[in-house]
């Protein structure tokens, strides 16, 4: 039997006994009803007193002790005391957790801003306040896009694609470059993570400037050296050193190609924004690329061109030409003379696609994620033999990025590779529509 049921039985027995005693006293006094009603009145007064004591304690329980009560009132007081202790325990626990959370977020090297579904600031840690110059009194409840007004950030915040961070310049009292990334959680709640990448951005800009300037300055002396080597190589009196001169010319040509690729990559990196461009006839470009491959002294036995769409591509023709020629050039270099290549152009409901498939040696899976890095080589010895600069796929990656496209690489070691450029649907225009435009 529970304590509540025991208390109820105890109170019931007490009332029955009290009424019996009251009836007996009333009988001796000559009125049973008077004894019963008097007993009930006294019992009611006692309950009112107990209720008043309970009400006073509930109002002043932080400073007053719980009342000494019996029966049901004692059980009620005991239940309230237990609930109060439990509430105080959970409150203290939540307070400790909140303090730990505040200390841990304050120690984070990155800023954290909590946003509601409308993009309003609910909370931010100390680092976010420093990076964005936020004030808890003035900025809580404001929309984050009213404080960070950079167009790239506003587009990223409302775009719904949060897989990659966006880097923008923020004009706080100190000019900074911040990397923002949104993490969704709960019911349309968002955490905005931000990190100061000013040093990285400046170092990257210095690298770009150095590469561009160094490549530009090296091109002129290399041109002079190449000219003298060509003159010396054609002199019949120097036939004894013809082989070393030929090797010097080959290495000079290789250095020239590397510098040209560096300059081209620098031009692509100088402006990283999307481009509008003009209609590009990919079918005609593919035919010219095949013609260039077949004009090589050593080339694959079979080079096919499959044009499966009459659509044209909207973009920068020089960039598209550079990207496609690098893919075709790589395939031609690494495909043996008895092998084959296939250049394919097609469109579907997802956009336009240009692929180059070869039957070369293929690439092992661990190398594929790094192929578009600058100067990354799967086989350095083989690259030196073929005269590659290690920049071709980096140029392809940047050219596609400027067009909102991506590069997909499929390869099986020993069975060849397929490089596919995927362009978004907005870059595809039918031939008739392009002509009317």
């Amino acid at each position: 039997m529970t304590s509540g049921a025991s208390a109820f039985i105890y109170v019931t027995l007490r009332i029955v006994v009290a009424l019996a005693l009251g009836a007996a006293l009333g009988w001796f006094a000559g009125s049973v009803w008077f004894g019963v009603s008097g007993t009930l009145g006294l019992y009611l007064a006692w309950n009112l007193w107990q209720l008043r004591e309970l009400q006073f304690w509930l109002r002043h329980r932080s400073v007053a002790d719980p009342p000494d009560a019996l029966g049901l009132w004692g059980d009620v007081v005991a239940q309230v005391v237990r609930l109060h202790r439990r509430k105080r325990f959970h409150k203290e626990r939540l307070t400790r957790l909140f303090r730990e959370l505040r200390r841990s977020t304050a120690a984070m090297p990155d800023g954290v801003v909590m946003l509601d579904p409308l993009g309003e600031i609910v909370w931010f840690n100390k680092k976010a306040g420093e990076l964005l110059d936020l004030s808890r009194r003035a900025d809580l409840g404001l929309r984050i896009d009213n404080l960070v007004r950079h167009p790239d950030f506003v587009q990223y915040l409302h775009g719904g694609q949060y897989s990659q961070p966006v880097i923008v310049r923020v004009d706080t009292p100190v000019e900074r470059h911040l990397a923002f990334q949104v993490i969704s959680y709960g019911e349309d709640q968002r955490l905005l993570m931000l990190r100061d990448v000013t040093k990285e951005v400046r170092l990257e800009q210095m690298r770009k400037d150095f590469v561009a300037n160094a490549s530009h300055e090296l091109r002129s002396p290399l041109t002079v050296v190449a000219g003298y080597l060509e003159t010396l190589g054609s002199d019949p009196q120097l036939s004894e050193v013809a082989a070393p001169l030929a090797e010097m010319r080959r290495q000079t040509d290789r250095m020239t190609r590397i510098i040209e690729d560096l300059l081209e990559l620098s031009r692509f990196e100088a402006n990283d924004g999307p481009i509008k461009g003009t209609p590009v006839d990919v079918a005609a470009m593919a035919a010219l690329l095949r013609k260039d491959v077949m004009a090589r002294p050593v080339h694959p036995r079979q080079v096919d061109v499959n044009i499966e769409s009459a659509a044209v591509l909207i973009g920068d023709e020089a960039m598209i030409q550079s990207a496609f020629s690098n893919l075709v050039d790589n395939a031609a270099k690494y495909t043996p003379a008895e092998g084959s290549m296939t250049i394919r152009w097609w469109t579907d409901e997802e956009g336009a696609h240009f692929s180059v498939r070869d039957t070369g040696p293929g690439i092992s899976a661990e190398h594929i994620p790094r192929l578009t890095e600058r100067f990354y080589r799967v086989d350095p010895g083989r690259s030196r033999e073929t005269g590659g600069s290690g920049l071709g796929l980096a140029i392809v990656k940047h050219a596609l990025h400027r067009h909102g496209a991506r590069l997909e690489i499929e390869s099986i070691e020993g069975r060849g590779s397929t490089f596919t450029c995927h362009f978004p649907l907005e870059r595809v225009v039918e031939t008739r529509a392009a002509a009317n435009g």
Side-chain angles (χ1 to χ4, degrees):
M1 185 177 293
T2 63
S3 59
S6 300
F8 180 77
I9 294 174
Y10 172 75
V11 170
T12 302
L13 291 175
R14 190 167 62 177
I15 293 173
V16 171
V17 171
L19 289 176
L21 290 175
L25 290 175
W27 183 75
F28 283 112
S31 176
V32 176
W33 173 248
F34 178 77
V36 172
S37 61
T39 301
L40 290 174
L42 290 173
Y43 186 75
L44 177 61
W46 180 80
N47 277 284
L48 289 175
W49 173 259
Q50 293 293 330
L51 182 60
R52 184 259 177 197
E53 289 290 308
L54 178 61
Q55 189 265 350
F56 177 82
W57 173 66
L58 291 175
R59 284 181 176 272
H60 306 89
R61 64 179 180 273
S62 59
V63 294
D65 295 329
D68 295 327
L70 300 174
L72 283 177
W73 287 110
D75 188 63
V76 170
V77 170
Q79 292 286 347
V80 173
V81 169
R82 283 194 292 269
L83 289 174
H84 176 61
R85 289 176 178 173
R86 188 179 302 171
K87 176 183 176 183
R88 184 170 59 187
F89 169 77
H90 289 296
K91 182 178 180 181
E92 292 175 353
R93 183 183 178 188
L94 288 175
T95 302
R96 288 195 303 270
L97 289 174
F98 184 70
R99 287 173 180 171
E100 290 294 329
L101 178 63
R102 291 187 63 179
R103 282 195 289 265
S104 62
T105 55
M108 290 178 62
D110 297 339
V112 182
V113 181
M114 187 182 298
L115 305 175
D116 66 7
L118 298 178
E120 297 174 349
I121 300 176
V122 177
W123 172 87
F124 57 87
N125 69 345
K126 181 179 178 181
K127 190 64 176 180
E130 294 175 357
L131 295 176
L132 295 178
D133 193 28
L134 299 177
S135 168
R136 297 194 183 278
R137 291 185 177 181
D139 297 324
L140 285 177
L142 296 181
R143 292 174 60 96
I144 187 65
D145 51 357
N146 288 337
L147 300 175
V148 183
R149 298 176 177 271
H150 197 284
D152 291 344
F153 172 76
V154 175
Q155 182 180 3
Y156 172 77
L157 183 66
H158 299 290
Q161 300 295 327
Y162 305 136
S163 58
Q164 296 294 328
V166 60
I167 298 177
V168 300
R169 190 183 72 178
V170 177
D171 295 325
T172 53
V174 178
E175 181 182 317
R176 294 187 176 97
H177 287 83
L178 301 180
F180 293 91
Q181 184 159 19
V182 173
I183 301 174
S184 301
Y185 71 99
E187 296 182 0
D188 202 18
Q189 303 290 316
R190 289 174 290 179
L191 279 179
L192 179 64
M193 310 293 294
L194 54 147
R195 181 166 53 93
D196 189 352
V197 293
T198 305
K199 291 183 180 179
E200 290 86 343
V201 170
R202 290 175 178 172
L203 287 173
E204 179 67 13
Q205 188 59 46
M206 289 174 60
R207 182 196 64 78
K208 292 179 180 179
D209 293 342
F210 171 78
V211 170
N213 293 333
S215 302
H216 182 74
E217 294 299 326
L218 287 172
R219 182 166 60 175
S220 296
L222 268 178
T223 303
V224 174
V225 172
Y228 278 116
L229 288 174
E230 184 177 359
T231 301
L232 292 173
S234 61
D235 190 344
Q237 298 180 1
L238 299 176
S239 58
E240 297 180 357
V241 292
L245 287 174
E247 178 62 20
M248 292 170 64
R249 285 186 60 188
R250 191 175 74 85
Q251 295 298 331
T252 304
D253 292 341
R254 181 167 176 263
M255 291 177 64
T256 301
R257 286 194 297 272
I258 292 175
I259 289 175
E260 290 174 352
D261 286 346
L262 283 172
L263 288 172
E264 187 169 22
L265 189 58
S266 298
R267 286 195 297 270
F268 289 175
E269 291 178 336
N271 184 2
D272 204 31
I275 57 176
K276 294 182 179 180
T278 56
V280 177
D281 189 349
V282 179
M285 186 179 294
L288 290 176
L289 292 174
R290 180 188 182 278
K291 184 177 180 181
D292 291 340
V293 172
M294 300 304 292
R296 291 168 175 257
V298 178
H299 58 78
R301 175 178 53 82
Q302 182 177 354
V303 180
D304 297 325
V305 176
N306 297 335
I307 303 300
E308 302 173 16
S309 173
V312 297
L313 186 65
I314 301 299
D316 184 289
E317 186 169 1
M319 285 189 180
I320 299 296
Q321 171 76 28
S322 177
F324 291 176
S325 64
N326 270 290
L327 293 179
V328 172
D329 183 63
N330 280 344
K333 286 178 181 177
Y334 298 119
T335 302
E338 66 277 7
S340 63
M341 285 175 51
T342 301
I343 301 172
R344 183 186 176 202
W345 166 251
W346 78 100
T347 58
D348 55 26
E349 64 277 2
E350 295 182 357
H353 316 276
F354 178 89
S355 71
V356 180
R357 181 176 59 83
D358 63 65
T359 58
I363 305 165
S364 58
E366 66 268 19
H367 294 295
I368 291 178
R370 300 189 59 189
L371 285 179
T372 56
E373 295 180 10
R374 300 175 186 87
F375 299 110
Y376 183 80
R377 302 177 187 274
V378 176
D379 183 353
R382 187 177 67 179
S383 297
R384 282 193 293 269
E385 292 175 1
T386 56
S389 66
L391 294 169
L393 292 180
I395 292 174
V396 174
K397 177 183 175 181
H398 280 81
L400 295 182
H401 174 72
R402 293 288 304 279
H403 291 80
R406 62 183 178 87
L407 177 65
E408 180 184 5
I409 303 173
E410 299 175 353
S411 184
I412 300 176
E413 196 168 8
R415 299 179 58 183
S417 306
T418 301
F419 293 79
T420 307
C421 305
H422 299 286
F423 292 89
L425 194 60
E426 57 267 21
R427 291 282 178 184
V428 184
V429 177
E430 295 297 329
T431 305
R432 183 175 300 174
N436 292 336

